[in-house]
């Protein structure tokens, strides 16, 4: 577990050096998904006899992480610093570098470690008996989450590409049932990972993984930061009144 922590620290420290040099801290978002892939494969390769659940977690993490990496890279390439990080750059002033180091890069490293607990604890589990129903249930839940995240991102990207939609809100497709299908999908995938981990006999401490990512998306860096700038818009207020915030549900009349 210590080696995994060191790996994640070095990974985010490298991103911090590059981000400081190019004056763009939002590149940390590009490294988020791929960081989990590197961590999962590190745990896989250091295990002398990786279990079936661990191999499943590594595979699912790789599919999710590579898709997210490509999606964010394609979205952010040739663009300036994301508005959230640009705002912090102005607010932090002369304390920008140390605050970015601790509050952006190292903090994300801590979160990555906690969210990776399902993989970490699965790799250290020595339980001889595998609970297949839990593993199958976890895979199914992960598939549901991957569907919501990938399809939600695709629908939003397609919507934004249409010049006729400039200035309009995305309220169609999965976005008709939840204001954040991609965030709901991401949280759901980690709950699926938890079940796979428990199916391998991992400690219940692994529940910190999905709890952390769900809390972050719902109350910290996900929903609140995206919705705050739109609170004054009348069309968003109407959309929010009729559409579930996070969990998919039928629109209110």
């Amino acid at each position: 577990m210590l080696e995994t922590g060191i790996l994640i620290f070095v990974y985010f420290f490298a991103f911090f050096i590059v981000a400081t040099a190019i004056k763009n801290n939002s590149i940390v978002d590009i490294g988020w998904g791929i960081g989990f892939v590197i961590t999962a494969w590190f745990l896989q390769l250091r295990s002398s006899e990786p279990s079936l659940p661990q191999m499943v977690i590594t595979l699912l993490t790789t599919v999710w992480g590579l898709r997210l990496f490509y999606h964010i890279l394609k979205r952010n390439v040739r663009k300036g610093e994301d508005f959230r990080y640009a705002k912090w750059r102005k607010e932090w002033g002369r304390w920008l570098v140390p605050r970015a180091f601790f509050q952006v890069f190292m903090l994300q490293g801590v979160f990555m470690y906690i969210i990776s607990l399902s993989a970490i604890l699965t790799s250290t589990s020595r339980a001889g008996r595998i609970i297949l129903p839990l593993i199958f249930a976890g895979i199914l839940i992960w598939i549901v989450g991957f569907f919501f995240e990938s399809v939600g991102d695709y629908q939003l990207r397609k919507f934004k590409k249409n010049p006729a939609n400039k200035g309009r809100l995305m309220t169609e497709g999965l976005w008709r049932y939840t204001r954040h299908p991609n965030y709901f999908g991401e949280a759901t995938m980690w709950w699926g990972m938890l079940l796979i981990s428990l199916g391998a006999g991992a400690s219940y401490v692994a529940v910190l993984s999905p709890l952390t990512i769900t809390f972050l998306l719902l109350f910290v860096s996900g929903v609140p930061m995206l919705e705050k700038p739109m609170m004054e818009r009348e069309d968003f207020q109407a959309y929010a009144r009729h559409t579930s915030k996070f969990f998919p549900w039928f629109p209110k009349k």
Side-chain angles (χ1 to χ4, degrees), residues 206-226:
V207 75
L208 289 174
S209 169
L211 280 177
T212 299
I213 189 63
T214 303
F215 176 79
L216 289 175
L217 291 173
L218 260 176
F219 303 110
V220 184
S221 60
V223 173
M225 290 188 73
L226 279 183

Side-chain angles (χ1 to χ4, degrees), residues 217-248:
L217 291 173
L218 260 176
F219 303 110
V220 184
S221 60
V223 173
M225 290 188 73
L226 279 183
E227 292 199 346
K228 187 177 180 180
M230 298 189 290
M231 288 298 184
E232 303 296 324
R233 292 178 53 167
E234 291 186 7
D235 56 348
F236 179 77
Q237 293 172 11
Y239 175 57
R241 283 195 298 269
H242 295 94
T243 310
S244 173
K245 178 178 178 179
F246 191 74
F247 298 99

Side-chain angles (χ1 to χ4, degrees), residues 38-235:
I38 293 172
T39 301
W41 277 101
F42 171 76
L43 293 167
Q44 173 92 12
L45 295 174
R46 71 188 292 270
S47 298
S48 56
E49 294 182 11
S51 64
L52 173 64
Q54 183 177 355
M55 289 188 282
V56 170
I57 285 178
T58 300
L59 174 63
L60 298 183
T61 301
T62 301
V63 171
W64 165 76
L66 290 179
R67 190 212 71 87
L68 185 62
F69 166 74
Y70 175 74
H71 169 72
I72 297 178
L73 181 66
K74 187 176 180 181
R75 185 187 67 189
N76 293 359
V77 69
R78 295 193 183 93
K79 291 185 179 179
E81 193 171 43
D82 182 271
F83 75 92
R84 296 166 294 177
Y85 297 94
K87 180 173 177 287
W88 289 338
R89 182 175 293 276
K90 291 180 181 178
E91 292 176 351
W92 292 346
R94 62 185 181 133
W95 296 104
L96 170 65
V97 173
R99 290 192 68 171
F101 177 77
F102 288 107
Q103 292 181 232
V104 176
F105 295 91
M106 291 302 105
L107 185 59
Q108 288 210 30
V110 171
F111 287 140
M112 181 174 288
Y113 184 87
I114 297 173
I115 297 166
S116 295
L117 279 174
S118 291
I120 294 170
L121 295 174
T122 299
S123 72
T124 59
S125 174
R126 295 293 177 264
R129 180 169 165 266
I130 292 175
I131 307 174
L132 285 176
L134 269 183
I135 294 173
F136 286 136
I139 293 172
L140 288 175
I141 291 172
W142 185 92
I143 290 172
V144 171
F146 186 76
F147 171 81
F148 269 87
E149 183 179 63
S150 57
V151 174
D153 281 341
Y154 169 76
Q155 291 175 340
L156 181 61
R157 184 170 65 250
K158 187 177 179 182
F159 177 83
K160 286 184 174 181
K161 277 186 176 180
N162 188 345
N165 293 326
K166 187 175 182 180
R168 293 179 57 214
L169 285 174
M170 172 56 164
T171 61
E172 305 161 1
L174 294 179
W175 300 80
R176 182 170 180 262
Y177 303 99
T178 164
R179 305 203 297 266
H180 301 278
N182 46 356
Y183 287 162
F184 167 78
E186 182 162 344
T188 301
M189 280 187 281
W190 289 106
W191 285 102
M193 295 276 207
L194 170 66
L195 292 186
I196 297 170
S197 180
L198 296 179
S203 166
Y204 284 101
V205 173
V207 75
L208 289 174
S209 169
L211 280 177
T212 299
I213 189 63
T214 303
F215 176 79
L216 289 175
L217 291 173
L218 260 176
F219 303 110
V220 184
S221 60
V223 173
M225 290 188 73
L226 279 183
E227 292 199 346
K228 187 177 180 180
M230 298 189 290
M231 288 298 184
E232 303 296 324
R233 292 178 53 167
E234 291 186 7
D235 56 348

